Amino acid sequence: MRVHGAWLTDPGVQAVLAMLAEGGHQALIVGGAVRNALLGHDVSDIDIATDARPERVQQLAKAANIRAVPTGIEHGTVTLVVAAVGHEVTTFRRDVETFGRHAVVAFADNIVDDAARRDFTMNALYVDAAGNVIDPLGEGLADLAAGRVRFVGHPDDRILEDYLRILRFFRFTAWFGAPDAGVDADALAACAEHALGVEGLSRERVGAEMRKLLAAPNPAPAVTAMQTAGVLAHLLPGADARSLAPLVHFEAGRVPDWRRRLAVLGGKDVAEALRLARADARALDVLVTASRDDAPAAVLGYQFGADLGASALLARAALTGYAPSDGWQAELARGAGATFPLKAADLMAAVSGAALGARLKELEARWIASDFALTRAELLA
């Protein structure tokens, strides 16, 4: 089997592969790039694996006038810069000892050892410079074709190497798992067994994984499995996945928004638990609050804009089980286009200070309650 694409024929990639091969070493692209290429998805990050030791990689780069940066040399990674683009080259490795958040590794000489320490079988696939696909474990291609997300070897061993792999398992299930393949039973049991381990992960790592998971076209089955395994409760105490499937249904082909999906999950202190950026935390707060009240679509559009208002309305529908009323999109747009006819300067002759803001807010509330009908003159009167 062979793969093709501009990512493979890129001059920088080919230069690095040729440099290693001409030095007498194996040079293979591995992991996500191979998986995505086989699935017909976009390829972005390209990781290169080799049997050359880091010092040897640096020697070859120097001889080829390629800049080498020891970005993770203790883990065997050297970044080679070709035409201002960095290419990560990592020596084959095998695990010696694991601690749940990192592992002690030793360099390896063969591809089988390197493949055996990777997380999922569909990520243990390699491609040479000509595009030939190599499946050292003999499982990756079959699992990828069937949409089966499985750990390499025993799931417990892979999870103990890094508890983040629990979250990655559910993310990969959401993105690459076939609906009829279900969730791998052995992996799910191992995730349940080691669920407590996710509490030791940094909130930044957890937040990044959850954002990616919830951005999948339909994350509901994977998140439901996460709740069943007890993992969700350790990440977001009080969260409930039951409204996620209805939300995906009501979204009806809209662009997935992980914040909208997170809002229906709920849970205590979600923004802090996932260390969300300030803007995302504010949007999430709006969605949680607005989806749990009964403000009309036009009011949501006026208060939050058409996009955020739509998310709030869809989240409310998922939580209540009632589809938005007919014409809700037009109502959102009407509210989003409405402009309050008064400004603070209009009231300054009659009121000032803190009372000015309170009066303006009161009049705006009256205007909203009138379905945006009160005129400037009526409000001033």
Side-chain angles (χ1 to χ4, degrees), residues 76-111:
T77 301
V78 178
T79 298
L80 302 184
V81 183
V82 180
V85 177
H87 305 274
E88 284 196 355
V89 177
T90 303
T91 303
F92 291 161
R93 296 176 294 177
R94 59 183 176 84
D95 288 322
V96 176
E97 190 174 4
T98 61
F99 300 95
R101 278 179 290 178
H102 63 278
V104 174
V105 300
F107 297 137
D109 296 314
N110 67 81
I111 192 175

Side-chain angles (χ1 to χ4, degrees), residues 211-238:
R211 290 194 296 272
K212 294 174 184 177
L213 165 56
L214 292 174
N218 181 12
V223 178
T224 299
M226 182 186 289
Q227 183 168 350
T228 301
V231 175
L232 188 62
H234 288 289
L235 298 176
L236 303 173

Side-chain angles (χ1 to χ4, degrees), residues 340-359:
F340 183 46
L342 291 185
K343 294 182 173 57
D346 296 322
L347 306 177
M348 286 181 177
V351 65
S352 62
L356 174 62
R359 182 61 173 162

Side-chain angles (χ1 to χ4, degrees), residues 3 7 29-39 41-47 123 125 127:
V3 293
W7 62 275
I29 297 169
V30 63
V34 183
R35 178 199 67 230
N36 284 9
L38 289 168
L39 290 173
H41 296 180
D42 291 338
V43 174
S44 52
D45 297 330
I46 297 178
D47 296 317
N123 285 345
L125 297 171
V127 161

